[in-house]
Amino acid sequence: MDSELAFKLFEQNYSQLSAYYGKHFHNLPKSQRENLIVGLRLLSLLAQNRMSKFHAELELLPFESRQDMYIRHPIELEMYLMEGSYNKLRTVIEKVPAKEYTPFMEYLVRNSVRNEIASCIEKAYEHLKLSSAQQLLIFKSVGETEKYVRENTNWRIDGGVIYFENDRKERPFRQQAKTFIERTLEYAEETNRIV
């Protein structure tokens, strides 16, 4: 089943089920799986990059529900994604609160996180060991990493090392940044002398 259809089917099922989670059925006992289902809903929105809907759904949740591990998980994921804290993100990805989260997590990693990390890697390094790239890109094997590199990038692999074929036009920018920082420090020193 393709991902788009799976998300659509999940959306339909959730909309039918969510009616029972509203205030209209207050005399029913709370479902033990309600927070799991709501957390899956948030994760599905996150995986599809539907951020405005994610935040709208989050605003409807009571504060107590946000502390539940099933709901806290997608909230932390979103926070780390927005911050670009990929090390923290990796930890959250590896510790899913329930096996039902796995397909959404795999989709999120495969289609969003990995591409963001790859973009950062090629800007940060001129070359990188394949084994290091495997860890950074959250792959289980070097073979998966090689396949990703060959199919999705213009990087070159030679002797277990990835060479990034990007323009190094950042060099003039770095020089401008260095000059700016030096001038700012000089300005701060002058201001300090005046005071």
Side-chain angles (χ1 to χ4, degrees), residues 37-50:
I37 302 299
V38 172
L40 282 170
R41 165 70 171 159
L42 292 172
L43 185 57
S44 109
L45 294 171
L46 198 57
Q48 296 174 76
N49 202 22
R50 295 173 57 194

Side-chain angles (χ1 to χ4, degrees), residues 108-123:
L108 179 68
V109 169
R110 187 174 60 245
N111 294 304
S112 298
V113 175
R114 190 167 285 140
N115 293 335
E116 283 294 320
I117 293 172
S119 173
C120 292
I121 288 173
E122 72 180 0
K123 289 180 177 84

Side-chain angles (χ1 to χ4, degrees), residues 1-15 39-50 100-112:
M1 176 185 311
D2 77 333
S3 299
E4 194 171 312
L5 179 61
F7 280 116
K8 185 177 180 181
L9 292 173
F10 177 78
E11 188 86 23
Q12 288 174 347
N13 289 330
Y14 180 79
S15 65
L40 282 170
R41 165 70 171 159
L42 292 172
L43 185 57
S44 109
L45 294 171
L46 198 57
Q48 296 174 76
N49 202 22
R50 295 173 57 194
E100 292 88 351
Y101 280 59
T102 304
F104 292 119
M105 292 301 296
E106 288 174 355
Y107 183 87
L108 179 68
V109 169
R110 187 174 60 245
N111 294 304
S112 298

Side-chain angles (χ1 to χ4, degrees), residues 12-104:
Q12 288 174 347
N13 289 330
Y14 180 79
S15 65
Q16 292 172 352
L17 189 59
S18 65
Y20 295 104
Y21 297 156
K23 295 178 183 176
H24 304 294
F25 294 94
H26 55 61
N27 52 346
L28 287 176
K30 182 176 176 172
S31 168
Q32 293 177 346
R33 296 180 57 88
E34 180 177 344
N35 287 339
L36 169 70
I37 302 299
V38 172
L40 282 170
R41 165 70 171 159
L42 292 172
L43 185 57
S44 109
L45 294 171
L46 198 57
Q48 296 174 76
N49 202 22
R50 295 173 57 194
M51 302 311 284
S52 58
K53 186 72 174 162
F54 174 88
H55 287 283
E57 294 274 333
L58 194 58
E59 290 299 317
L60 297 173
L61 294 176
F63 182 77
E64 305 81 50
S65 295
R66 295 180 195 187
Q67 304 309 309
D68 182 82
M69 69 176 178
Y70 296 118
I71 295 173
R72 192 175 59 241
H73 187 266
I75 292 171
E76 288 177 352
L77 268 174
E78 188 269 344
M79 183 176 66
Y80 298 147
L81 274 170
M82 294 300 114
E83 289 176 356
S85 300
Y86 297 117
N87 284 336
K88 292 177 184 176
L89 187 66
R90 181 177 298 125
T91 304
V92 174
I93 287 170
E94 292 169 354
K95 294 180 181 176
V96 293
K99 66 180 178 3
E100 292 88 351
Y101 280 59
T102 304
F104 292 119

